[in-house]
Amino acid sequence: MGKALCMLLAAMPFATAFQSIPTKQSFAAALSSSPPSPLSQTSLYHTKDSRRNFVEGIITSTIASAVAASVSAPPALAAEIVASPVEMKTFVDPKGLFVLNIPKRFFAIRRTAKGDLPDEKTGKGRRGSSIFTAGDLAKTEVIAVERFPTFALLADEGITPIGDLGTFPSIGDPTAVANLIALRRDKDKPGQARTLIMPKSVSVSEDGKSLFFKLTTDIDVQKPDLLLEQTGVSELIRITLAKATLTSADGQMMAVFASALQQDFDGDDGVALNDAVASFVAMDQSKK
């Protein structure tokens, strides 16, 4: 990956600790305080400027009729979405679970081995809840798709699921739900550190079935002077865009995470990662 990358990696610690997620008690309080009806609360979680974006790329004809013609973009960011300056390609899941756009230069791995896939009842496996990974190792940019039962997201934190789990407003406060998703994700990634959800980034689609949020992670640097000499920056911050969906209608929640270092995210790569997240569609499994 070159001398510069090796020096950058040498400046980073091998492992750090995930710190910034609220307690189980605060989750339970936030979730239990949310009204059960999504209709009465929807306007609190999206802006007037929300609109839908069409999935870019060519979808394989064998499943084209099953793919939704449009996908929800984060309401607060809908007006900012522009065509990606990075060449993209469309990945269609061979199992028919999802479809999304990824940068053409990214490698892509769809896990199929039984031991690598998350359990249908617990959402846990050898690799956590991950079923798909794409990325650019040289830039440490990653797009990942995870799948787990909606029930388990709550039960694993000692929260008893009650009522309708078909939309995010009916599950609970969107920010609390986003924190639960982030906590679940980072339990299997001990190298994460000081991860925070940006509160103003949390939003819900008009139909209540898609939740959007942004994470920031400060990465500990042991030799900031060396990092500055080699890369021009003295600190490392990772930005992660996330979209969780309930559109599969099978009791499973699916989420896509797209991340890059701040200096890359602020450029064309950030536009491409926004495109990837906005294009993600979880396929309806209820008729299978």
Side-chain angles (χ1 to χ4, degrees), residues 1-247:
M1 292 186 286
K3 180 179 179 182
L5 178 62
C6 290
M7 297 297 290
L8 185 152
L9 294 176
M12 297 170 57
F14 179 74
T16 51
F18 181 81
Q19 299 290 336
S20 306
I21 298 299
T23 63
K24 293 182 182 179
Q25 290 78 10
S26 63
F27 283 136
L31 292 172
S32 62
S33 65
S34 299
S37 172
L39 297 177
S40 62
Q41 295 296 315
T42 300
S43 61
L44 297 178
Y45 307 126
H46 68 87
T47 68
K48 294 180 181 179
D49 293 329
S50 62
R51 68 184 185 218
R52 292 180 177 277
N53 290 279
F54 292 96
V55 177
E56 296 180 2
I58 299 173
I59 308 300
T60 305
S61 60
T62 56
I63 68 167
S65 61
V67 179
S70 63
V71 296
S72 299
L77 302 178
E80 302 176 12
I81 293 178
V82 296
S84 172
V86 176
E87 188 175 4
M88 307 290 282
K89 61 184 178 182
T90 299
F91 180 88
V92 179
D93 179 43
K95 299 290 186 180
L97 292 179
F98 67 92
V99 60
L100 83 164
N101 294 337
I102 62 175
K104 191 172 183 179
R105 73 175 189 274
F106 276 24
F107 71 82
I109 300 174
R110 173 58 164 102
R111 295 178 180 84
T112 56
K114 185 176 181 180
D116 286 341
L117 294 175
D119 184 84
E120 289 286 330
K121 295 182 179 180
T122 66
K124 298 176 181 179
R126 256 196 322 242
R127 303 182 184 277
S129 300
S130 177
I131 62 172
F132 172 83
T133 303
D136 180 339
L137 292 178
K139 286 190 171 184
T140 65
E141 295 178 358
V142 179
I143 296 175
V145 175
E146 299 189 8
R147 182 172 184 260
F148 48 86
T150 306
F151 182 94
L153 175 69
L154 304 175
D156 287 351
E157 297 304 318
I159 302 168
T160 302
I162 299 175
D164 177 29
L165 301 180
T167 67
F168 286 100
S170 68
I171 293 174
D173 174 73
T175 299
V177 177
N179 272 301
L180 284 176
I181 294 170
L183 176 61
R184 181 185 182 88
R185 178 173 181 257
D186 283 282
K187 279 181 177 178
D188 299 314
K189 298 175 177 61
Q192 298 292 331
R194 299 195 301 275
T195 298
L196 296 171
I197 288 180
M198 299 175 64
K200 293 184 179 180
S201 72
V202 179
S203 59
V204 178
S205 62
E206 189 171 357
D207 63 3
K209 290 186 176 295
S210 295
L211 173 68
F212 305 89
F213 55 95
K214 182 186 292 187
L215 302 164
T216 62
T217 306
D218 293 334
I219 302 174
D220 288 335
V221 177
Q222 293 178 338
K223 300 178 180 179
D225 293 339
L226 177 61
L227 181 65
L228 180 62
E229 178 184 344
Q230 296 296 326
T231 68
V233 297
S234 59
E235 61 179 2
L236 294 177
I237 299 175
R238 177 168 290 278
I239 304 296
T240 302
L241 297 175
K243 174 183 178 180
T245 74
L246 298 168
T247 55

